Amino acid sequence: MEAGNILLKRGLLNEQQLQRARDAQEDNARLDQVAVRLGFVTEHDALRAIGEEVGLDFIDLSETDVDLSLLEDFPQRAIHRQALFPIRRDNGSIVVATSDPFDLYPLDEVAASMNLSVQPVLAGRDEIDRLIKAHLGVGSETIEGLLAKKSAEQTVELLDEIETDGSELSEMAQEASVVRLVNEILLEAINLRASDIHIEPLEAGLTVRYRIDGILQPQPVPPEIAQFQAAIISRLKIMSRMNIAEKRLPQDGRIKLRVSGRDIDVRVSVIPMISGEGVVLRLLDKGAVELDLDKLGMEPDLHAKFSELIRLPHGIVLVTGPTGSGKTTTLYSSLLEIKSDEIKIVTTEDPVEYQLEGINQIQVHTKIGLTFANTLRSILRHDPDIVLVGEIRDRETAENAIQASLTGHLVFSTLHTNDAAGAYTRLVDMGVEPFLVASTVEAVMAQRLVRTLCKKCREAYQPDEGDLPRDFPLQTLRESGQPLYRPAGCRACRQVGYKGRIGLYELLVTTDTIRQLAHDRTNTWELQKAAEKQGMRTLRQDGWIKVLHGQTSVDEVLRVTKSNTISG
């Protein structure tokens, strides 16, 4: 029976959905796969129903123990070409997972090559692919092809030739197999929502790590990938228009990609290390970033206050935090919130991470003297209403930003400080007069990012109060009667327990008291204490609110914030 009719018979599709699937069917694609793509049925439900009809068991690979020793003798071609994966031995036969219940011929080939009877079971294609990547590595099929070519041409020693012949290196880097391997690494990272790819040469071999939701996660790669390290790095250099012959100095470049209709900007940094060149790629996927102030995770009272601040006629609003804490996202979201045809917004950034419609953006080039300070002076001649300075790094930029605010402009910028109170003292340390800091800085917001618990698998629990940090709001927890939540792990979050991130915020508004303290060169601790007395919620306290709401875990808040020793 045809797949579509099986799903109709089982009640998983209705007549209208079946017809729509047939209309969308191309190149003899299976109707059940088309129905899955259209969202009419899940792959698991479809395969389970088809399996029952044709007499094959369906298994959930995320909950199945796999005998990895079977990989040694199992035909690699069957894994990579037909997506077959050995599961276990069973009374002299071998259980093999497939996602195609209608093409069992490859299973016969496996049986013949291994001289064993094969017992097929059905499993989701994504789950089979996950096993292949987890145990054979990203790009393992490509590596297999490269090794075959290398063994056939034993005279070619890639590393030696690469070091001595730049033109040949360029040719090697553009071979189809190398191109495919690099593309696989990039595509896998994009599909996993990674923000960065780290390709690191170590004495033991080449490692690949993806930063996902702020945490570096090692990716399984075949050990043989180290033999093609130079070709991979050269390919990335060619793609980012770097000098592939230069291996002694750091280089920076940029790659523009289009993946599934989405434009992706990749910033590439290559640094020479002891064991070879290390590469870090920053993936900027505008389609994956939601630039909406309402969806960044601000509590309602803080959101309301910040919305007022970004609409002030003049002054400076600062956002602080370490690299990767979401400062740019907050500022971009703020600009998009207030932009209109009546106001002119000009930004100076290094780099321009995302191009914003209706906003004039300038890319800083320090090598040719186009610095934040220089561009800021020029921007003021363009009659802007609002100015964004990517980062205040030095006294000149700080003084120019202050001058802009004094002449009737609203200025947004970022600083690298650990908390909001530290921004005032940092500006003074740069050499800015305290009275100028006190009179122009309207507010400082510090922020961090914590991972959000996966909504599909988060686990409710009643904590032992003795195990909670001393500053956790126990009274609020008792009064709410609600449980806390912790990560569990499921297919949707790749067994991590977290999916996505949310911001923690600390908003310090410059009241008259804070202005006086800043004017008097008061230290950060005193500023912080005064702000808390006036009702400022610290990063840690904002984190506990997210924990009580079930958005994140206690461990995540502990990971990114320090104990609030001031308030006890």
Side-chain angles (χ1 to χ4, degrees):
M1 186 183 291
E2 181 218 27
N5 291 327
I6 293 174
L7 299 182
L8 181 66
K9 172 185 173 184
R10 295 269 173 167
L12 294 174
L13 291 182
N14 57 38
E15 292 281 1
Q16 184 181 6
Q17 290 172 328
L18 178 58
Q19 187 56 51
R20 283 184 59 191
R22 287 200 169 112
D23 292 341
Q25 192 176 18
E26 296 176 357
D27 299 330
N28 297 319
R30 281 178 14 219
L31 268 173
D32 58 307
Q33 293 176 330
V34 178
V36 169
R37 192 180 76 239
L38 294 174
F40 296 152
V41 63
T42 67
E43 184 185 29
H44 281 213
D45 288 344
L47 286 177
R48 195 185 301 276
I50 292 170
E52 289 173 2
E53 194 73 25
V54 301
L56 293 177
D57 290 335
F58 175 85
I59 63 171
D60 187 340
L61 290 179
S62 66
E63 299 175 359
T64 302
D65 291 329
V66 177
D67 183 357
L68 297 177
S69 66
L70 295 172
L71 287 172
E72 293 179 14
D73 300 319
F74 199 83
Q76 294 288 300
R77 181 180 294 272
I79 294 175
H80 297 303
R81 301 293 164 81
Q82 278 85 35
L84 305 179
F85 203 92
I87 305 300
R88 63 178 181 274
R89 294 184 186 275
D90 187 12
N91 295 327
S93 65
I94 181 171
V95 178
V96 177
T98 177
S99 63
D100 190 345
F102 301 105
D103 183 13
L104 302 182
Y105 177 72
L107 293 161
D108 295 334
E109 289 186 329
V110 170
S113 67
M114 297 187 70
N115 199 23
L116 282 171
S117 62
V118 169
Q119 180 183 333
V121 292
L122 291 179
R125 179 59 186 262
D126 286 347
E127 291 296 317
I128 295 174
D129 288 343
R130 181 182 60 80
L131 278 180
I132 293 171
K133 284 180 175 129
H135 301 297
L136 295 172
V138 175
S140 52
E141 180 184 7
T142 306
I143 285 292
E144 185 186 352
L146 284 169
L147 284 172
K149 180 174 183 193
K150 186 176 174 71
S151 61
E153 300 178 11
Q154 291 296 332
T155 57
V156 177
E157 181 60 40
L158 295 180
L159 294 179
D160 289 342
E161 290 183 359
I162 284 166
E163 289 178 357
T164 57
D165 190 344
S167 61
E168 187 165 345
L169 171 58
S170 178
E171 290 176 13
M172 291 294 297
Q174 296 187 78
E175 282 189 0
S177 295
V178 176
V179 171
R180 192 162 62 247
L181 175 57
V182 170
N183 287 348
E184 282 186 39
I185 293 172
L186 287 167
L187 288 170
E188 179 75 359
I190 291 165
N191 289 335
L192 293 177
R193 302 177 298 106
S195 61
D196 302 85
I197 304 171
H198 292 241
I199 301 174
E200 302 161 320
L202 302 175
E203 194 172 342
L206 197 69
T207 66
V208 177
R209 295 192 288 174
Y210 297 158
R211 190 177 293 280
I212 302 171
D213 291 334
I215 303 295
L216 277 174
Q217 298 182 16
Q219 298 303 304
V221 292
E224 297 85 1
I225 198 173
Q227 299 177 40
F228 310 98
Q229 171 183 328
I232 292 167
I233 292 171
S234 295
R235 171 64 184 167
L236 288 169
K237 283 183 173 181
I238 289 169
M239 291 173 73
S240 51
R241 293 181 170 80
M242 294 182 192
N243 179 0
I244 65 170
E246 179 55 76
K247 301 179 184 179
R248 301 164 300 170
L249 297 173
Q251 296 188 71
D252 294 312
R254 179 176 175 179
I255 305 170
K256 286 189 175 181
L257 299 175
R258 177 163 286 177
V259 178
S260 302
R262 302 203 316 262
D263 288 338
I264 303 204
D265 205 6
V266 184
R267 304 296 164 90
V268 186
S269 174
V270 177
I271 296 180
M273 310 223 178
I274 292 175
S275 301
E277 291 175 290
V279 185
V280 174
L281 301 98
R282 165 65 59 90
L283 306 177
L284 300 173
D285 181 0
K286 187 176 181 180
V289 176
E290 202 160 22
L291 300 174
D292 187 339
L293 206 57
D294 293 331
K295 297 180 180 178
L296 298 183
M298 296 181 191
E299 295 303 311
D301 58 337
L302 187 143
H303 179 272
K305 188 61 185 174
F306 190 69
S307 293
E308 289 179 22
L309 289 165
I310 63 176
R311 289 173 169 84
L312 290 172
H314 54 78
I316 298 176
V317 176
L318 297 172
V319 178
T320 77
T323 301
S325 59
K327 299 187 297 295
T328 300
T329 300
T330 298
L331 289 174
Y332 278 178
S333 300
S334 302
L335 294 181
L336 292 176
E337 175 92 358
I338 59 178
K339 78 164 187 173
S340 73
D341 293 338
E342 287 77 38
I343 61 174
K344 179 167 183 173
I345 302 174
V346 185
T347 77
T348 173
E349 306 168 61
D350 184 21
V352 174
E353 294 195 8
Y354 302 108
Q355 294 182 23
L356 306 177
E357 189 176 346
I359 293 174
N360 304 278
Q361 295 171 274
I362 300 170
Q363 170 72 55
V364 165
H365 290 289
T366 52
K367 290 181 181 177
I368 60 172
L370 193 63
T371 62
F372 281 126
N374 291 339
T375 55
L376 187 48
R377 281 196 296 269
S378 300
I379 285 171
L380 296 180
R381 292 195 285 270
H382 272 243
D383 188 30
D385 299 288
I386 296 171
V387 177
L388 168 75
V389 182
E391 183 185 344
I392 294 178
R393 296 175 179 171
D394 51 43
R395 176 179 174 177
E396 188 181 8
T397 306
E399 288 179 340
N400 286 348
I402 285 171
Q403 193 59 42
S405 71
L406 290 172
T407 53
H409 303 87
L410 180 60
V411 180
F412 294 104
S413 192
T414 70
L415 270 177
H416 287 289
T417 61
N418 290 325
D419 49 34
Y424 300 88
T425 52
R426 175 63 58 84
L427 289 172
V428 172
D429 290 343
M430 284 181 181
V432 180
E433 290 293 338
F435 76 89
L436 289 174
V437 174
S439 61
T440 56
V441 176
E442 296 294 337
V444 183
M445 187 161 73
Q447 68 177 76
R448 298 292 187 278
L449 293 176
V450 290
R451 292 180 293 172
T452 49
L453 290 163
C454 175
K455 292 179 181 177
K456 293 190 176 180
C457 68
R458 65 177 185 169
E459 182 178 270
Y461 73 104
Q462 292 295 337
D464 184 333
E465 292 186 0
D467 293 337
L468 292 172
R470 284 189 308 137
D471 60 340
F472 190 87
L474 282 172
Q475 189 60 36
T476 306
L477 179 64
R478 295 180 189 130
E479 290 172 358
S480 71
Q482 297 293 319
L484 297 185
Y485 291 86
R486 58 191 172 197
C490 66
R491 183 183 295 107
C493 62
R494 295 174 56 86
Q495 309 302 324
V496 175
Y498 298 95
K499 191 171 184 181
R501 289 189 289 178
I502 194 171
L504 305 185
Y505 300 96
E506 174 181 293
L507 180 60
L508 199 169
V509 178
T510 311
T511 61
D512 289 342
T513 302
I514 298 297
R515 286 192 200 284
Q516 188 61 51
L517 290 172
H519 179 276
D520 296 341
R521 294 178 180 265
T522 306
N523 62 44
T524 299
W525 188 81
E526 291 288 348
L527 282 165
Q528 176 90 0
K529 187 166 68 171
E532 287 191 49
K533 281 183 180 177
Q534 295 183 1
M536 183 188 77
R537 190 164 53 236
T538 66
L539 287 166
R540 183 87 152 198
Q541 290 164 346
D542 197 44
W544 295 143
I545 291 175
K546 266 72 172 182
V547 171
L548 291 169
H549 289 169
Q551 294 170 296
T552 191
S553 67
V554 172
D555 288 342
E556 272 297 286
V557 176
L558 293 175
R559 180 176 68 84
V560 303
T561 65
K562 65 179 182 179
S563 177
N564 186 14
T565 54
I566 294 172
S567 59

